[in-house]
Amino acid sequence: MTAPAFDTPLHIHHGDCIDYLAGLPGGCIDLVVTDPPYGIAYKTGHRTEPHRFAREIENDRDLSVVEAVVPHLYRLLKNDSACFMFCAWKRQDEVAEILAGGGFTVKNRIVWDKGTTTAGDLKGAFGYQYEVLMFATKGAPAIRGKRWPDVWRHMRVSADKLHHQNEKPVPLLEQAVLSMSDPGDTVLDPFMGSGSTGVACLNCGRDFVGCEIDPGYFGVARDRLDAESAQGRMFAGCF
Ligand SMILES: C[S@@+](CC[C@H](N)C(=O)[O-])C[C@H]1O[C@@H](n2cnc3c(N)ncnc32)[C@H](O)[C@@H]1O
């Protein structure tokens, strides 16, 4: 009998996900929910140095890390499973092409309606209120539970509660996790940042495998997941 790929329900790794994923056996993941660098060299203009978020994240200059990770995601996923991947509206066509080139079928471009607008070109463009969540499949997985429309509305994390400059709200991630996996399944987020997908998995009773290259954010994710696990919040919250 082959040993399971992960010996604990919560498995997080500090380092480059491309190297890490290359060492994992194919077919060990039930669902990918991930938020990679958008390839837009984002650095908030809203705040000034030395604010903790006034810097770019790693690998945000282009989409090369997305191109590198997609073949691994496809290989690691079981047959008839799904991948949710956030991306910038400006680069959504390129991300869809990368996913399709890696073997996935892009089924939806879900709109995450953030409830409020974010800063940007305050005088020359309308307020930015959504981000894109690609829903792509390997084979033909079925949606669990309700068939939601393709606009998902969840409020952004308020500035005073942010763990990460690009943090996604846990209820939004729970909606993805619950829609395309079953209790006890293993969910992968190779770009976990502050570990929000891991928190969603704890809340929904899924196992979690996460990776983060930035030592500061890895520490934030580890502490956050430690605290959440200690609270024993399994199955506590659903979107
Ligand atoms: C958009 S952020 C994810 C934020 C996360 N969804 C959250 O709620 O906190 C993307 C993360 O990917 C990390 N990253 C970039 N390149 C990476 C790589 N090759 N391997 C692992 N992590 C990487 C960045 O450091 C950044 O924290």
Side-chain angles (χ1 to χ4, degrees):
M1 207 173 92
T2 46
F6 310 104
D7 48 6
T8 53
L10 204 53
H11 202 91
I12 60 174
H13 176 78
H14 172 221
D16 186 337
C17 65
I18 308 300
D19 297 340
Y20 176 64
L21 299 183
L24 295 179
C28 64
I29 297 295
D30 297 288
L31 171 67
V32 171
V33 179
T34 194
D35 179 22
Y38 281 5
I40 53 173
Y42 176 79
K43 178 174 154 182
T44 179
H46 207 57
R47 308 173 178 100
T48 48
E49 305 277 3
H51 191 281
R52 64 189 172 128
F53 293 148
R55 68 185 171 97
E56 279 175 34
I57 56 168
E58 293 279 336
N59 293 317
D60 199 24
R61 292 269 145 168
D62 54 34
L63 289 173
S64 55
V65 77
V66 176
E67 283 172 328
V69 83
V70 163
H72 289 291
L73 302 183
Y74 194 82
R75 180 182 67 82
L76 294 174
L77 278 166
K78 293 180 179 153
N79 292 328
D80 299 327
S81 61
C83 169
F84 289 95
M85 182 178 285
F86 288 92
C87 64
W89 65 267
K90 283 182 182 172
R91 309 211 70 169
Q92 58 174 301
D93 290 341
E94 291 160 84
V95 172
E97 267 179 39
I98 294 168
L99 286 164
F104 287 102
T105 304
V106 177
K107 304 293 284 254
N108 290 100
R109 296 183 185 195
I110 295 166
V111 169
W112 168 37
D113 173 356
K114 303 191 263 193
T116 56
T117 58
T118 45
D121 180 357
L122 295 181
K123 295 210 170 134
F126 296 103
Y128 301 108
Q129 191 164 313
Y130 76 91
E131 290 178 34
V132 177
L133 177 58
M134 290 287 171
F135 169 54
T137 57
K138 173 177 176 175
I143 293 167
R144 278 67 156 181
K146 180 174 166 151
R147 181 174 185 247
W148 300 102
D150 59 3
V151 178
W152 295 5
R153 187 168 221 223
H154 294 278
M155 294 306 288
R156 295 161 61 207
V157 180
S158 58
D160 58 319
K161 297 210 169 67
L162 276 179
H163 301 88
H164 191 290
Q165 63 211 81
N166 311 116
E167 189 167 336
K168 300 299 178 287
V170 169
L172 167 67
L173 301 166
E174 288 177 0
Q175 184 162 0
V177 167
L178 290 170
S179 294
M180 292 310 298
S181 68
D182 298 310
D185 276 356
T186 301
V187 179
L188 168 68
D189 183 353
F191 303 99
M192 71 174 167
S194 63
S196 309
T197 307
V199 176
C201 288
L202 281 173
N203 289 349
C204 297
R206 271 58 167 178
D207 291 355
F208 176 66
V209 180
C211 195
E212 172 56 46
I213 201 167
D214 182 293
Y217 283 134
F218 178 79
V220 170
R222 185 197 51 220
D223 294 350
R224 196 176 169 201
L225 291 167
D226 269 357
E228 294 284 338
S229 326
Q231 284 178 28
R233 291 182 55 210
M234 304 280 276
F235 301 99
C238 293
F239 58 92

